[in-house]
């Protein structure tokens, strides 16, 4: 493949989260995350039109079972005790009972620097989930365990740039994407899922499911 000018090359998502100055996330470390997860049919709709695009070198499709809309990255699991986690979940459960289920419309993928992302809207209901989970962790842990992001907009990644990310040409990906038919997909948010999540440092994020908290009680 011809050399891609650096200005158009994607950046390795996994190297980036391992090396970032604040809240680095090394390969293999289990971190607590809150997600809204798609059901099987919604997952199929999210990725099926783009399967050929997801074979580009340096780009790694998210397997259907690992698709996720992140609400909060709540730091290393080992830094939160079982009792503390139980107290956090109790707070999340109480606040989530006051929020009715809602829809997030996930638009066609956009070519970001580290991932193919489907931006979601409306943002306000999803931000309520981010706010209540971040406040629950802060109420129990203070600032002892970092949480990210600091500002929230809902989005779902269907592929990450990983090993060989420099081979993925953003400009060319946008051209290919423009020829693919596919529209918005509705993700129904009915519950928050707490998971113990890790990545392999190369091309994959996965997790152990811990529990669900229903919206609206």
């Amino acid at each position: 493949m011809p050399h891609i000018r650096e200005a158009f090359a994607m950046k390795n998502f996994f190297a980036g989260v391992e090396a970032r100055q604040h809240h680095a996330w090394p390969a293999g470390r289990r971190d607590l995350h809150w997600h809204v997860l798609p059901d099987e049919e919604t997952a199929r709709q999210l990725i099926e039109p783009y399967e050929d695009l997801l074979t580009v070198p340096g780009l790694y499709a998210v397997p259907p079972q690992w698709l996720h809309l992140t609400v909060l990255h709540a730091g290393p699991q080992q830094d939160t005790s079982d009792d503390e986690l139980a107290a956090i979940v109790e707070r999340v459960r109480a606040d989530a009972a006051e929020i009715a289920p809602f829809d997030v419309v996930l638009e066609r993928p956009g070519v970001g620097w580290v991932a193919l992302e489907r931006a979601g809207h409306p943002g306000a209901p999803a931000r309520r989930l981010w706010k209540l989970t971040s406040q629950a962790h802060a109420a129990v842990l203070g600032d002892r365990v970092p949480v990210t992001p600091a500002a929230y907009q809902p989005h779902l990644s269907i592929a990450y740039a990983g090993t060989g990310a420099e081979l993925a040409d953003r400009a060319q990906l946008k051209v290919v994407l423009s020829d693919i038919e596919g529209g918005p997909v509705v993700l129904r948010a009915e519950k928050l899922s707490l998971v113990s999540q890790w990545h392999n440092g190369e091309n994959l994020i996965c997790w152990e499911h811990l529990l669900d908290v229903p919206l609206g009680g």
Side-chain angles (χ1 to χ4, degrees), residues 41-202:
E41 173 58 22
T42 304
R44 184 192 65 78
Q45 295 175 23
L46 286 166
I47 61 175
E48 190 174 74
Y50 309 100
E51 287 177 342
D52 290 341
L53 179 66
L54 301 180
T55 63
V56 170
L59 200 60
Y60 298 89
V62 180
Q65 69 271 28
W66 304 126
L67 288 169
H68 56 283
L69 188 152
T70 299
V71 174
L72 189 75
H73 181 169
Q77 183 177 9
Q78 64 189 17
D79 292 347
T80 301
S81 71
D82 290 345
D83 287 344
E84 288 170 333
L85 187 56
I88 290 167
V89 171
E90 182 177 357
R91 288 176 176 271
V92 170
R93 196 178 300 278
D95 289 342
E98 303 301 317
I99 299 177
F102 59 91
D103 291 335
V104 180
V105 179
L106 297 168
E107 296 294 346
R108 282 171 52 86
V111 184
W113 286 107
V114 298
L116 297 185
E117 296 181 351
R118 303 188 70 134
H121 66 86
R127 272 193 298 276
R128 288 186 68 187
L129 301 183
W130 163 73
K131 184 176 181 179
L132 74 87
T133 52
S134 61
Q135 287 180 337
H137 282 263
V140 175
L141 304 175
D143 60 0
R144 193 185 82 223
V145 175
V147 295
T148 54
Y152 184 76
Q153 74 288 334
H155 65 277
L156 182 146
S157 296
I158 64 170
Y160 293 104
T163 301
E166 67 280 1
L167 301 176
D169 185 334
R170 294 180 70 245
Q172 185 59 35
L173 283 169
K174 291 179 180 181
V175 172
V176 175
L177 183 60
S178 71
D179 291 331
I180 297 176
E181 294 185 10
V185 174
V186 175
L187 172 62
R188 183 68 173 169
E190 298 181 311
K191 60 187 178 183
L192 280 162
S193 296
L194 178 65
V195 303
S196 173
Q197 184 164 305
W198 66 95
H199 67 88
N200 66 0
E202 298 179 1

Side-chain angles (χ1 to χ4, degrees), residues 21-52:
Q21 184 175 0
H22 300 291
H23 312 328
W25 184 23
R29 190 184 75 191
R30 287 173 173 252
D31 281 16
L32 295 171
H33 286 70
W34 291 96
H35 292 321
V36 173
L37 300 176
D39 60 27
E40 186 176 341
E41 173 58 22
T42 304
R44 184 192 65 78
Q45 295 175 23
L46 286 166
I47 61 175
E48 190 174 74
Y50 309 100
E51 287 177 342
D52 290 341

